[in-house]
Each structure stands twice: as C-alpha cells, then as structure tokens.
Amino acid sequence: MLRRLIHAAGVVAAEAYQASDEQAGALVERAGQLMFEVGQRATQQGDDLSISAVMTAYMAKLEELSAHRGTIVGVPSGFTDLDRLTGGFRKSDVIVLAARPL
C-alpha cells in the first residue's frame, strides 16, 4: 500500500510541475481521486493476512513450479540454456541481464 501511495504522490507531483495556475483545481481533484483509489484498493485486498496464509500460498506455488520442472512456465527468452535454468520469464520477475565487455 505504501508503494502505491508513493507512486500516486509521484504522479501528482509530476503533473503539478507541468500544470498551469488554471489547472490547479483539476489537479487537486485528481490527487484526491488517486488517494481514494489507493485507500479503496487497500480496503478491498485486506492487509490482515497472516504469515501462515502467505507461506501456504507460496508453498503451493512452489509445488506447482516443481511439478513442471524442466518445462517453460513463462515467456521464453530465446536462449535455451537460460530458459532451462529459469523456466522462462514471468510477469512478477525483475530481470537483469548483464555481461562483461569485450
């Protein structure tokens, strides 16, 4: 929820830097709307998950991935060895590819 709040505040700040004095009222309205959406989303999702519930869901996901070991469960990278190691790219992944310069 804090990340969403920081993102919404960043959006408002960026728009404020580019807005004119005549647009200030509309920007205040937009800021209120974004903050309301952050609050609504937090209420809908519920932040009171126990560590037990989180770990149970995570273990189920690990078991599912283990059952598909050796197959690509995500988007293939085009590099066979990398795909075999990672199982492909998934939407929750942060992927950094790096190499030494020649």
Side-chain angles (χ1 to χ4, degrees), residues 61-98:
K61 181 68 175 174
L62 286 178
E63 288 174 7
E64 177 188 336
L65 290 174
S66 178
H68 294 98
R69 181 172 287 178
T71 62
I72 297 176
V73 294
V75 177
S77 68
F79 297 98
T80 309
D81 292 338
L82 181 62
D83 289 339
R84 189 172 24 82
L85 291 171
T86 63
F89 300 146
R90 289 170 289 286
K91 66 179 179 179
S92 62
D93 290 346
V94 174
I95 302 159
V96 178
L97 291 177

Side-chain angles (χ1 to χ4, degrees), residues 4-64:
R4 285 187 210 103
L5 185 60
I6 290 168
H7 176 36
V11 168
V12 171
E15 290 178 7
Y17 279 115
Q18 297 179 0
S20 64
D21 289 338
E22 295 82 29
Q23 297 170 321
L27 186 57
V28 169
E29 175 96 18
R30 172 118 165 94
Q33 177 187 10
L34 287 172
M35 296 305 145
F36 178 75
E37 288 172 7
V38 169
Q40 283 295 105
R41 194 170 199 193
T43 302
Q44 291 172 353
Q45 288 180 345
D47 293 332
D48 55 348
L49 291 176
S50 69
I51 190 69
S52 174
V54 172
M55 289 305 296
T56 301
Y58 187 71
M59 291 304 293
K61 181 68 175 174
L62 286 178
E63 288 174 7
E64 177 188 336

